[in-house]
Amino acid sequence: MKQRTNKAVLERDAAPREEAVLECGGLSKSFGGIHAVRDMSLEVRPGLITGLIGPNGAGKSTLFNLISGVMRPDKGEVRLFGEDISGLRPHKIARKGMIRTFQLSREMARLTVLENLMLAPQRQEGEHLASLWFKAGQVRKEECKIEARALIVLDQIDLTHVRGEYAGNLSGGQKKLLELGRALMIDPEIILLDEPGAGVNPALMGRLSDMIARLHAEHGKTILIVEHDMDLIAKLCHRVVVMAEGSHLIEGSFDEIAADKRVIEAYLGGVS
């Protein structure tokens, strides 16, 4: 791996060690005889962008699915703000302050960009049929508030010019920006980003990187990011965790892990 300076790293070494907002202990998941994740542990500290990397087949996507509630672990636990959330469904985890994006964007293709953002917040009054009849004024007031918020987010993610476009017509990079916008609409404490750079052309990659940095710097979000683009990891991440063969291999700053022989061997060894 090419070693490069991590421009995003903050001067935190002298600061007191804070409690993790997200912890995984002894997580394991098998599919038949294949151990996708085995005895994996991970800590995500508040106010940091933590990268999760590893060669293809290392178990990163499965770990993300276990953390976010898409899959149930065979054993081990996931704790969010000290609470055991192992096995909770994704929508319940989102209500506790953590959401994730996906490698393949999951926009509502036949709704506009603005409508996609407006549908992101949970527990809206308009979701209930009775409220449409008996609380019409309250529903409309809430809708106006959500629309105003969505217009602000559109400006933040630089998609105001396509607010009325069907989301399915957006480019790959624009869809990734839309997913980040939906995260802002929900306003979670911690965001899991699953390969945000996948399918994004170079022209939009800089905007996407800047948006992630702004989520952290301006909105105070704690971020865990899985990504194959090492330039993006080096630029954004304060700490990097390396997986290999379903397990924790090493963690540290980008420069530390890039120079470690075990990491180089894991990548060059072609773990699959």
Side-chain angles (χ1 to χ4, degrees):
M1 294 178 65
K2 183 180 177 181
Q3 185 172 352
R4 56 178 290 157
T5 301
N6 181 348
K7 297 179 181 178
V9 173
L10 305 179
E11 296 296 332
R12 297 178 180 270
D13 292 342
R17 185 175 176 84
E18 298 183 81
E19 291 298 319
V21 296
L22 175 66
E23 299 174 89
C24 306
L27 280 183
S28 295
K29 183 70 177 179
S30 297
F31 301 97
I34 305 298
H35 297 283
V37 173
R38 63 172 84 209
D39 197 28
M40 178 66 188
S41 295
L42 174 73
E43 289 187 350
V44 176
R45 298 281 161 184
L48 297 182
I49 301 178
T50 301
L52 179 64
I53 68 171
N56 290 333
K60 305 181 299 296
S61 293
T62 300
L63 178 63
F64 246 44
N65 287 335
L66 296 175
I67 292 172
S68 61
V70 175
M71 295 178 181
R72 289 178 175 269
D74 294 334
K75 58 180 184 175
E77 67 175 17
V78 180
R79 303 187 72 83
L80 180 65
F81 307 116
E83 178 184 353
D84 187 354
I85 61 167
S86 308
L88 283 185
R89 301 303 300 162
H91 70 280
K92 292 186 177 180
I93 293 175
R95 290 172 183 170
K96 293 181 181 295
M98 181 174 72
I99 66 166
R100 70 168 288 182
T101 64
F102 290 85
Q103 181 179 351
L104 299 177
S105 301
R106 298 189 174 189
E107 75 286 346
M108 287 165 277
R110 298 302 299 168
L111 296 180
T112 68
V113 171
L114 178 60
E115 289 167 341
N116 267 262
L117 291 181
M118 291 182 65
L119 283 176
Q122 300 184 65
R123 295 177 172 176
Q124 297 185 39
E125 282 288 347
E127 295 175 356
H128 308 289
L129 184 60
S131 295
L132 297 177
W133 286 97
F134 302 111
K135 299 180 180 180
Q138 184 175 337
V139 169
R140 180 56 186 161
K141 183 178 180 180
E142 181 186 56
E143 187 178 84
C144 289
K145 184 178 180 181
I146 291 173
E147 182 177 6
R149 169 67 178 155
L151 292 174
I152 293 173
V153 170
L154 277 171
D155 183 61
Q156 291 173 335
I157 61 177
D158 197 22
L159 290 182
T160 300
H161 61 294
V162 292
R163 56 180 282 186
E165 182 66 73
Y166 287 126
N169 294 339
L170 299 180
S171 69
Q174 289 174 325
K175 289 178 180 179
K176 292 298 179 73
L177 289 170
L178 178 57
E179 282 213 359
L180 290 176
R182 292 174 67 181
L184 279 176
M185 289 295 295
I186 298 172
D187 198 27
E189 294 291 328
I190 179 170
I191 303 173
L192 312 183
L193 300 178
D194 188 358
E195 296 199 32
V200 178
N201 65 53
L204 277 177
M205 182 62 81
R207 285 167 57 191
L208 181 68
S209 174
D210 289 344
M211 184 62 210
I212 295 171
R214 286 173 60 190
L215 277 172
H216 166 260
E218 298 178 13
H219 299 274
K221 303 304 179 187
T222 299
I223 297 172
L224 176 62
I225 176 172
V226 168
E227 181 55 63
H228 284 291
D229 187 324
M230 291 298 103
D231 287 336
L232 192 64
I233 290 290
K235 179 180 179 180
L236 292 173
C237 296
H238 307 102
R239 301 289 292 174
V240 181
V241 177
V242 185
M243 288 185 72
E245 299 183 302
S247 301
H248 184 287
L249 180 64
I250 187 178
E251 67 179 275
S253 70
F254 183 84
D255 287 345
E256 289 170 344
I257 64 98
D260 192 280
K261 292 182 179 179
R262 291 169 293 176
V263 178
I264 297 170
E265 290 172 359
Y267 274 90
L268 297 182
V271 178
S272 62

